[in-house]
């Protein structure tokens, strides 16, 4: 009798362990972003934003927003940081790249003092976007892709 309970317990343990290994293998596969490919993009000033997108931003600018907009010509990625009680804020685009699965956008919000002191708040290829504002946002224009956009917004 003890021998069969031991076999049952061992079988349950082995099945649980095998299930755990399968879940780990599947989970690790989903986290792979693939090869990073730098993207060509430009920061749009207000005159270069399509009218429809400008209207959407105007409606949303009081709150935090992240959106992508596609027209016949290009893809536009917009990130807004909502209303603030001061005007010395700017958005920095730290990185924009794509993988096989998605487009990744990394932006941060800084005061103009932080940017001026550090030279470039985040170093590297960071790009300052637009004039300081109470409603800081950035619009990035790039080629059209049929990929979702993943935002890394601090």
């Amino acid at each position: 009798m003890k021998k069969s309970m031991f076999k049952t317990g061992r079988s349950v343990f082995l099945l649980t362990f095998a299930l755990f290994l399968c879940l780990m293998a599947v989970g690790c596969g989903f986290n792979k972003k693939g090869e990073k490919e730098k993207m060509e993009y430009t920061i749009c000033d207000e005159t270069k934003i399509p009218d429809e997108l400008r209207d959407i931003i105007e409606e949303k600018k009081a709150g935090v927003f992240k959106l992508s907009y596609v027209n016949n010509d290009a893809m536009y990625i917009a990130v807004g940081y909502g209303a603030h009680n001061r005007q010395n804020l700017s958005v920095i685009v730290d990185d924009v790249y794509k993988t096989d699965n998605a487009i990744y956008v990394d932006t941060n919000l800084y005061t103009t003092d932080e940017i001026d002191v550090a030279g470039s708040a985040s170093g590297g290829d960071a790009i300052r976007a637009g004039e300081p504002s109470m409603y800081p946002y950035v619009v990035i224009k790039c080629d059209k892709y049929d990929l979702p956009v993943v935002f890394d917004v601090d």
Side-chain angles (χ1 to χ4, degrees):
M1 183 126 181
K2 287 184 179 184
K3 196 172 192 177
S4 74
M5 277 194 346
F6 177 72
K7 282 185 177 182
T8 303
R10 187 173 69 180
S11 296
V12 169
F13 173 77
L14 288 175
L15 284 173
T16 304
F17 186 70
L19 180 61
F20 173 76
L21 288 177
C22 288
L23 290 174
M24 290 295 293
V26 169
C28 291
F30 283 125
N31 287 332
K32 290 183 180 175
K33 289 183 180 177
E35 281 291 314
K36 281 185 178 183
E37 182 181 326
K38 282 285 191 187
M39 291 179 48
E40 294 292 322
Y41 65 93
T42 56
I43 304 298
C44 295
D45 63 25
E46 282 199 34
T47 62
K48 304 289 186 197
I49 300 171
D51 292 337
E52 186 177 357
L53 178 56
R54 189 177 310 116
D55 293 342
I56 294 168
I57 291 170
E58 191 63 32
E59 289 175 14
K60 295 181 176 284
K61 75 178 184 182
V64 174
F65 66 87
K66 299 172 255 185
L67 60 94
S68 60
Y69 173 87
V70 178
N71 65 12
N72 294 333
D73 301 327
M75 173 185 273
Y76 296 84
I77 301 167
V79 178
Y81 285 82
H84 294 270
N85 61 357
R86 57 188 185 184
Q87 293 191 12
N88 67 336
L89 299 170
S90 290
V91 179
I92 298 290
V93 177
D94 288 321
D95 202 6
V96 179
Y97 64 92
K98 76 179 194 75
T99 66
D100 294 337
N101 302 323
I103 296 170
Y104 293 84
V105 177
D106 183 7
T107 63
N108 287 288
L109 183 64
Y110 293 99
T111 66
T112 52
D113 295 337
E114 290 172 323
I115 295 167
D116 292 340
V117 167
S120 175
S122 61
D125 296 328
I127 296 175
R128 183 173 172 176
E131 292 300 312
S133 171
M134 285 181 67
Y135 303 99
Y137 69 89
V138 64
V139 177
I140 300 164
K141 180 181 178 184
C142 62
D143 291 336
K144 290 192 324 187
Y145 293 98
D146 190 21
L147 293 170
V149 178
V150 177
F151 296 90
D152 182 6
V153 178
D154 291 335

